[in-house]
Amino acid sequence: MAWMSSVLVLLAAVSNFAVQDDPNAVFSARIESCSGCKLNRLPDVKRFLNQKAPLIHNVEVKWIGGANPDAYFLNKDGEIVETVDLTKFKSDGLIQLFVDRGFHIKLDPDEQVPRSKQRGPYYIYNEGATRQGVGNDNNVNEGTDKRNVNADKVEL
């Protein structure tokens, strides 16, 4: 029976190393956006970038003149694995985008990040895979791809 436990521990370790080396494993994210023109027409996105994005562990916000607000999900080598146009989302959907991908969102800047969320990988990106959540259709701006998402504890 003891050998069975050892085998399970070994399998878990091998599985973890395989995930760590997967080129589609996401370890961090970078958000790039302009700080004015286009962002001023997207109040939910602007509020998110200024107030909530800085509270998401392992997410960096870069202000670049004229840039569309995009989230880039990065592998351990800093290479882009997934790109998401943030203009499609309303406030709850913006928060849920990161929650669904396993990122930790602090409720205040001094909050400790749980050990399990301190380092990635947070998820493995599979192109064409569907993510399912719970919530309502009010999380996405009109005329865009609808997502069912809900951001329970985090408010803008």
Side-chain angles (χ1 to χ4, degrees):
M1 198 66 146
W3 67 271
M4 201 181 240
S5 304
S6 298
V7 169
L8 289 175
V9 169
L10 181 62
L11 286 174
V14 169
S15 170
N16 188 37
F17 286 123
V19 169
Q20 296 278 336
D21 290 335
D22 189 318
N24 290 326
V26 172
F27 284 77
S28 64
R30 180 179 68 242
I31 300 171
E32 295 180 0
S33 177
C34 65
S35 59
C37 298
K38 187 171 192 173
L39 200 56
N40 287 332
R41 293 188 300 269
L42 301 164
D44 284 346
V45 176
K46 184 175 185 173
R47 193 173 352 2
F48 170 78
L49 292 179
N50 287 306
Q51 297 174 9
K52 292 300 174 186
L55 297 176
I56 305 172
H57 184 66
N58 283 341
V59 173
E60 170 191 15
V61 177
K62 288 182 99 175
W63 301 104
I64 299 172
N68 189 64
D70 290 322
Y72 300 98
F73 295 92
L74 311 171
N75 66 15
K76 70 179 181 180
D77 297 324
E79 298 166 335
I80 297 170
V81 172
E82 179 184 17
T83 303
V84 178
D85 179 355
L86 301 181
T87 63
K88 299 176 180 180
F89 295 88
K90 292 187 179 179
S91 42
D92 285 351
L94 288 162
I95 295 164
Q96 196 65 42
L97 174 71
F98 290 89
V99 170
D100 286 350
R101 284 160 174 76
F103 286 85
H104 178 76
I105 301 177
K106 301 179 197 178
L107 297 178
D108 76 54
D110 298 325
E111 178 185 326
Q112 291 282 348
V113 176
R115 175 174 255 154
S116 64
K117 298 289 185 172
Q118 288 178 358
R119 296 185 33 188
Y122 296 112
Y123 76 101
I124 307 276
Y125 174 69
N126 293 314
E127 190 170 354
T130 305
R131 293 187 203 292
Q132 302 230 348
V134 294
N136 58 49
D137 288 337
N138 295 328
N139 299 321
V140 181
N141 287 323
E142 290 296 317
T144 61
D145 182 32
K146 300 277 186 189
R147 290 178 181 245
N148 277 335
V149 292
N150 184 11
D152 287 341
K153 297 180 185 172
V154 184
E155 295 179 18
L156 284 178

